[in-house]
């Protein structure tokens, strides 16, 4: 392989509900097409995070109990994670991971649990309700449509300087009110999408992969990635 | 018996008779009617029984069936509920329609996790069996901790009942309980120090909240766990699998507490079910040799979950999958087949399948390319998702056929290059395939 990317899977052994690991698997699949390989390292409790070492970070969602444990340990990584994000490191945060990059979220017992405030959003909770179901959004900048599955109690409100990942076409999104879903800040992408988001949205997977490759290999030519299209109609016996 | 419960019992029994005679069925309605008239009807109905409650995420049905077989070696009157009737109404119906028992009868009940308390409000069981608790994608709200709490809320009403629990699951050692507890588990490997794969659930030490390690691991987060940080570890096992002799897709040979056993069903998860049945048997004083005899019988009614059918000369095994732990176990079981086989994965996302397909990414499909499978099929309503999953796992495109329309499956199965074929399918994909097979006369109609 010509190119190598180092990925950090933040708390992959604790924040791992709903197949979030598939985001790294899907990235690795597209990476092969441009002769790149992704080495994934698990960064969990008590492990230091070195921002200079990684080209991509995934931070998934977890169960309530695990999230309370993670939120404490996360404070010890606050500075290097903030540095990584500010330096334009590609970062994908899903569900609980998305919430914890912001100022705070509300736990299952109604307690306010601090995030690391690397991003300017905050998350409240709904009483006995979850947003569950298929969701479709459109990214204003690229015009791309993204598909996913949301399943969250938290309602997130973006801060100044944060753009949404997309505008809600169908589903609830960040809070069910302002039609926003997810966040983009520098090269950090946050979302409530499971599915996983990069497995179901080729364009976004390629966009983030390209960001990571170009950041590490400014002289590399990754144009073949744009021509690549995952043809899932090939080998189809009979269309339904 | 009070007038209220007499009337309730009579109403329930009449409803059952009516449904059974004129409709050929009736599982929860009689119980529902009886409960309407007397909410505490269970107290009356079950008062003469020694009750064993079996609960957990996976393996309830088979553990219950195996336990009934094991206890049948020694006891004559054993009542049990049919698979699926594991909530309050179904359990009431089971007692309403029980044949008249002569001596002190036993009842072995499969009970849904959230319904344990519905049972213990009225019945004090002799024992509880905890099989396991995994995150099931069908439990849209359920976390493993809340599921366990629901079970314990029910158990709290019966503090003297013995708990027979899977000792390999850390969660079952996480709370101090007043009940006597007996643990069963796997204990045949030499100790190492390993960690579970990153996307495994439930790895936090319940005592100090650090990541658990394993001296040996069976699957998911189960095994001989220990916490290098605080010393928390797997409890002493009373019932141990001490030798694992062989596993094939259709059978397992092993020893429990030195007693050789043969089980006519494959899969490591089913050995756990046999361990649980062994534990209950010993708890009820059934001799180990008798238990081995009961478990070795080839009882198709008990082992009917894996359905085998034939398309021309092909032997097709159809297996239901619904969550990543189950899927990984199926893949493990398939990997023990020494014959060449083809593999099909059919994915739907209707309510009964679980409407979120994300879980397929937690399944270890990466094992498949290592098995030298010559031909693959991906299909179902969500064929795009399962096809991409298989491709990412390393399944070569030229060996993969995509069949969105399951009515074409029979024709595609005929074209496969191997005699042996495994089909894993989510619930409604399985129903659609069965309907197609039934219409072609390959299987009998109706759900197995």
């Amino acid at each position: 392989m010509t190119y190598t990317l180092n990925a950090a899977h933040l708390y992959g052994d604790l924040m791992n509900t709903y197949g979030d690991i598939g985001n790294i698997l899907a990235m690795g699949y597209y990476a092969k097409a441009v002769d790149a390989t992704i080495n994934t390292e698990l960064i969990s409790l008590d492990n230091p995070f070195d921002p200079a070492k990684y080209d991509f970070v995934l931070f998934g969602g977890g169960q309530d109990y695990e999230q309370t444990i993670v939120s404490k340990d996360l404070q010890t990584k606050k500075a290097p994670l903030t540095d990584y994000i500010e330096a334009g490191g590609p970062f994908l945060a899903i569900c609980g991971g998305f919430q914890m990059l912001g100022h705070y979220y509300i736990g299952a017992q109604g307690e306010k649990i601090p995030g690391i405030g690397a991003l300017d959003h905050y998350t409240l909770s709904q009483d006995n309700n979850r947003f569950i179901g298929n969701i479709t959004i459109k990214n204003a900048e690229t015009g791309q449509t993204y598909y996913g599955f949301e399943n969250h109690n938290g309602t997130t409100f973006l801060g100044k300087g944060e753009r949404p990942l997309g505008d809600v076409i169908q589903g609830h999104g960040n809070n069910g009110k302002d039609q926003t879903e997810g966040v983009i800040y520098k090269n950090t992408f946050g979302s409530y999408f499971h599915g996983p988001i990069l497995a179901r949205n080729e364009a976004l997977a390629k966009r983030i992969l390209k960001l990571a490759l170009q950041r590490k290999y400014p002289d590399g030519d990754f144009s073949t990635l744009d021509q690549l299209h995952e043809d899932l109609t090939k080998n189809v016996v009979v269309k339904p | 018996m009070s007038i209220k419960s007499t009337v309730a019992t009579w109403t329930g029994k009449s409803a059952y008779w009516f449904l059974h005679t004129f409709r050929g069925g009736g599982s929860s309605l009689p119980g529902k009617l009886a409960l309407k008239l007397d909410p505490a009807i269970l107290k009356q109905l079950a008062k003469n029984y020694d009750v064993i409650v079996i609960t957990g995420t996976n393996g309830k049905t088979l553990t219950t069936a195996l336990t009934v077989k094991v206890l049948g070696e020694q006891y004559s009157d054993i009542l049990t509920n049919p698979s699926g009737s594991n909530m309050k109404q179904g359990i009431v119906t089971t007692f309403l329609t029980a044949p008249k028992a002569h001596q002190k009868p036993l009842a072995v009940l499969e009970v849904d996790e959230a319904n344990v308390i519905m049972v213990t409000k009225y019945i004090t069981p002799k024992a509880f069996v905890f099989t396991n608790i995994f995150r099931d994608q069908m439990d849209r709200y359920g976390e493993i901790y809340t599921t366990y709490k629901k079970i314990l809320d029910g158990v709290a009403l019966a503090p003297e009942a013995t708990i027979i629990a899977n000792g390999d699951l850390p969660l079952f050692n996480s709370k101090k309980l007043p009940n006597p507890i007996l643990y069963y588990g796997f204990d045949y490997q030499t100790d190492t120090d390993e960690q579970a794969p990153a996307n495994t659930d439930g790895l936090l030490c319940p005592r100090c909240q650090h990541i658990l390690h394993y001296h040996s691991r069976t699957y998911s987060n189960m095994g001989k766990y220990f916490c290098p940080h605080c010393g928390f570890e797997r409890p002493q096992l009373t019932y141990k699998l001490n030798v694992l002799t062989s596993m094939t897709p259709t059978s397992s040979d092993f020893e429990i507490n030195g007693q050789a056993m043969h089980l006519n069903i494959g899969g490591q998860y089913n050995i756990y079910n046999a361990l649980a049945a062994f534990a209950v048997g010993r708890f009820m004083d059934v001799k180990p040799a008798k238990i081995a005899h009961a478990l070795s019988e080839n009882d198709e009614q008990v082992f009917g979950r894996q359905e085998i059918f034939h398309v021309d000369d092909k032997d097709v095994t159809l297996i239901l999958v619904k969550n990543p732990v189950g899927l990984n176990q199926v893949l493990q079981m398939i990997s023990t087949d020494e014959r060449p086989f083809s593999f099909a994965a059919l994915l739907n996302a209707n309510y009964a399948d679980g409407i979120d397909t994300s879980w397929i990414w937690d399944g270890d499909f990466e094992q498949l390319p290592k098995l030298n499978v010559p031909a693959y099929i991906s299909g179902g309503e969500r064929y795009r998702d399962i096809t991409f999953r298989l491709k990412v796992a390393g399944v070569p495109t030229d060996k993969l056929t995509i069949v969105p329309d399951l009515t074409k499956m029979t024709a595609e199965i005929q074209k496969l290059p191997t005699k042996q074929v495994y089909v894993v399918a989510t619930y409604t994909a399985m129903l659609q395939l069965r309907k197609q097979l039934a219409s072609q006369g390959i299987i009998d109609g109706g759900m197995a």
Side-chain angles (χ1 to χ4, degrees):
Chain A
M1 291 281 174
T2 314
Y3 308 106
T4 307
L5 294 177
N6 294 316
H9 190 182
L10 275 188
Y11 305 99
D13 47 3
L14 295 168
M15 303 288 278
N16 52 16
T17 37
Y18 306 119
D20 293 332
I21 199 169
N23 289 303
I24 291 185
L25 298 176
M27 279 249 298
Y29 178 81
Y30 291 115
K32 268 192 230 160
V34 286
D35 206 21
T37 182
I38 298 181
N39 296 326
T40 305
E41 200 182 334
L42 172 67
I43 301 292
S44 189
L45 303 176
D46 305 326
N47 303 142
F49 174 80
D50 176 2
K53 205 173 155 188
Y54 301 104
D55 309 304
F56 175 65
V57 177
L58 172 71
F59 190 9
Q63 306 188 73
D64 291 333
Y65 176 62
E66 273 84 357
Q67 286 197 186
T68 57
I69 307 295
V70 166
S71 67
K72 286 179 199 147
D73 187 85
L74 191 65
Q75 301 305 327
T76 68
K77 300 180 177 71
K78 177 175 173 166
L81 283 170
T82 308
D83 290 348
Y84 176 84
I85 289 169
E86 285 300 321
F91 196 125
L92 177 65
I94 302 296
C95 207
F98 166 37
Q99 296 174 353
M100 282 192 214
L101 292 187
H103 296 295
Y104 61 88
Y105 75 98
I106 307 296
Q109 268 72 48
E111 72 282 26
K112 194 166 165 179
I113 299 173
I116 56 169
L119 271 63
D120 199 20
H121 54 266
Y122 63 94
T123 301
L124 304 178
S125 63
Q126 311 174 65
D127 290 337
N128 299 315
N129 188 44
R130 291 179 78 84
F131 292 146
I132 302 175
N134 291 308
I135 175 164
T136 310
I137 62 172
K138 190 165 186 171
N139 180 277
E141 184 193 340
T142 61
Q144 288 163 353
T145 303
Y146 303 137
Y147 302 91
F149 190 92
E150 59 180 335
N151 184 351
H152 56 112
N153 167 270
T155 51
T156 298
F157 297 88
L158 300 182
K160 285 183 190 135
E162 288 187 305
R163 284 171 295 148
L165 175 64
D167 302 319
V168 175
I169 296 171
Q170 183 219 326
H172 298 91
N174 284 339
N175 50 50
K177 288 177 189 147
D178 63 15
Q179 301 299 305
T180 65
E181 203 296 318
V183 69
I184 302 180
Y185 172 76
K186 297 199 170 182
N187 289 334
T188 294
F189 298 75
S191 177
Y192 276 111
F193 275 38
H194 298 294
I197 188 167
L198 299 190
R200 289 190 63 193
N201 299 282
E202 184 179 326
L204 187 63
K206 292 197 296 196
R207 178 176 172 186
I208 296 177
L209 176 61
K210 214 166 156 184
L211 278 173
L213 286 166
Q214 283 173 340
R215 186 165 175 264
K216 184 163 186 184
Y217 302 101
D219 301 326
D221 176 13
F222 306 109
S223 54
T224 49
L225 201 56
D226 299 325
Q227 289 136 34
L228 177 82
H229 176 62
E230 190 54 38
D231 186 5
L232 293 176
T233 56
K234 206 177 154 190
N235 298 356
V236 167
V237 169
V238 184
K239 282 194 180 184
Chain B
M1 201 184 255
S2 70
I3 292 181
K4 193 159 98 172
S5 44
T6 308
V7 172
T9 304
W10 181 84
T11 308
K13 283 189 172 179
S14 307
Y16 178 78
W17 173 83
F18 178 83
L19 290 167
H20 194 72
T21 309
F22 298 105
R23 300 283 185 85
S27 61
S28 70
L29 186 66
K32 192 175 174 180
L33 289 173
L35 279 165
K36 267 224 151 72
L37 294 167
D38 181 4
I41 184 78
L42 209 48
K43 191 172 182 165
Q44 189 61 40
L45 291 175
K47 68 176 179 190
N48 290 326
Y49 287 81
D50 271 341
V51 175
I52 292 164
V53 165
I54 296 174
T55 192
T57 308
N58 290 344
K60 282 189 289 282
T61 305
L62 191 66
T63 299
T64 302
L66 292 178
T67 301
V68 169
K69 282 178 75 75
V70 164
L71 295 179
E73 293 280 323
Q74 190 147 324
Y75 301 88
S76 53
D77 278 323
I78 305 173
L79 180 66
T80 190
N81 49 339
S83 163
S85 300
N86 62 12
M87 305 218 210
K88 194 177 176 185
Q89 295 165 359
I91 291 163
V92 169
T93 305
T94 299
F95 280 103
L96 272 175
T97 55
K100 204 166 171 57
H102 296 286
Q103 36 162 322
K104 178 94 179 161
L106 286 173
V108 181
L109 302 177
E110 166 188 339
V111 181
D112 169 80
E113 299 91 299
N115 278 265
V116 173
I117 194 163
M118 305 294 182
V119 172
T120 54
K121 263 186 195 169
Y122 309 108
I123 299 175
T124 303
K126 191 175 172 71
F128 294 99
V129 178
F130 298 169
T131 60
N132 50 57
I133 296 178
F134 298 122
R135 181 164 48 84
D136 189 336
Q137 51 100 21
M138 305 293 286
D139 299 338
R140 288 159 191 88
Y141 301 89
E143 301 196 347
I144 55 172
Y145 310 102
T146 43
T147 306
Y148 188 43
K149 188 175 178 302
K150 276 178 195 162
I151 293 175
L152 291 186
D153 287 347
V155 170
L157 301 180
E160 274 152 40
T162 298
I163 294 170
I164 297 169
N166 184 336
D168 289 351
L169 192 84
L171 191 60
F172 291 152
N173 190 20
S174 65
K175 293 268 191 294
K176 267 246 164 296
L177 302 171
N179 306 60
I181 306 184
L182 298 168
Y183 287 105
Y184 61 87
F186 277 60
D187 200 27
Y188 73 102
Q189 287 168 297
T190 41
D191 283 2
T192 54
D193 182 349
E194 60 171 306
Q195 281 187 256
N199 62 338
T200 308
D201 227 9
L203 292 179
L204 275 178
C205 170
R207 202 188 285 165
C208 76
Q209 289 80 46
H210 284 73
I211 301 290
L212 291 171
H213 287 217
Y214 291 82
H215 288 308
S216 59
R217 199 173 62 88
T218 51
Y219 63 89
S220 187
N221 63 337
M222 298 198 300
K224 192 175 179 184
Y225 59 83
F226 69 101
C227 176
H229 191 257
C230 78
F232 175 78
E233 60 181 355
R234 182 175 76 172
Q236 282 296 316
L237 304 178
T238 307
Y239 311 106
K240 298 176 189 180
L241 180 133
N242 57 303
V243 176
L244 183 55
T245 317
S246 67
M247 287 200 280
T248 76
T250 52
S251 70
S252 301
D253 285 273
F254 48 88
E255 288 180 17
I256 302 175
N257 289 10
Q259 171 68 51
M261 303 265 173
H262 174 79
L263 192 64
N264 278 302
I265 187 167
Q268 200 174 18
Y269 56 105
N270 286 318
I271 301 180
Y272 270 110
N273 298 331
L275 259 170
F278 180 93
V280 179
R282 291 300 296 134
F283 173 71
M284 297 294 290
D285 290 325
V286 184
K287 294 236 172 351
K290 282 188 165 178
I291 298 174
H293 173 257
L295 294 180
S296 68
E297 281 177 338
N298 197 356
D299 189 331
E300 287 204 1
Q301 277 205 313
V302 171
F303 299 132
R305 289 297 280 270
Q306 290 165 39
E307 182 172 15
I308 296 177
F309 60 89
H310 306 281
V311 178
D312 295 343
D313 65 327
K314 313 281 190 226
D315 298 336
V316 185
T317 307
L318 177 60
I319 308 167
L320 177 72
V321 290
K322 57 171 187 160
N323 57 33
V325 172
L327 175 73
N328 289 350
Q329 282 302 291
V330 168
L331 295 176
Q332 183 276 329
M333 182 186 74
I334 289 173
S335 74
T336 62
D337 200 334
E338 287 170 356
R339 303 162 298 184
F341 59 84
S342 306
F343 179 83
L346 310 178
L347 181 69
N348 279 2
N350 298 307
Y351 191 78
D353 304 290
I355 52 178
D356 180 9
T357 58
S358 304
W359 66 274
I360 61 173
W361 293 87
D362 281 324
D364 196 9
F365 285 107
E366 276 68 14
Q367 293 304 317
L368 282 171
K370 298 174 193 164
L371 302 177
N372 293 318
V373 179
Y376 294 87
I377 290 173
S378 55
E381 290 163 5
R382 294 295 288 268
Y383 69 94
R384 287 170 182 271
D385 295 271
I386 191 64
T387 300
F388 188 55
R389 179 69 192 93
L390 293 183
K391 287 170 90 169
V392 169
V395 167
T397 314
D398 58 354
K399 290 181 180 173
L400 179 64
T401 306
I402 305 170
V403 188
D405 177 1
L406 297 184
T407 63
K408 312 287 180 207
M409 271 298 283
T410 340
E412 289 307 313
I413 288 171
Q414 281 167 335
K415 289 184 206 158
L416 291 171
T418 57
K419 182 170 164 55
Q420 215 59 40
V421 180
Y422 287 101
V423 179
V424 300
T426 59
Y427 188 71
T428 67
M430 187 168 186
L431 291 188
Q432 288 166 6
L433 180 61
R434 291 194 92 261
K435 191 177 168 199
Q436 173 63 19
L437 294 167
S439 76
Q440 293 175 305
I442 292 168
I443 58 168
D444 291 337
M447 186 64 199

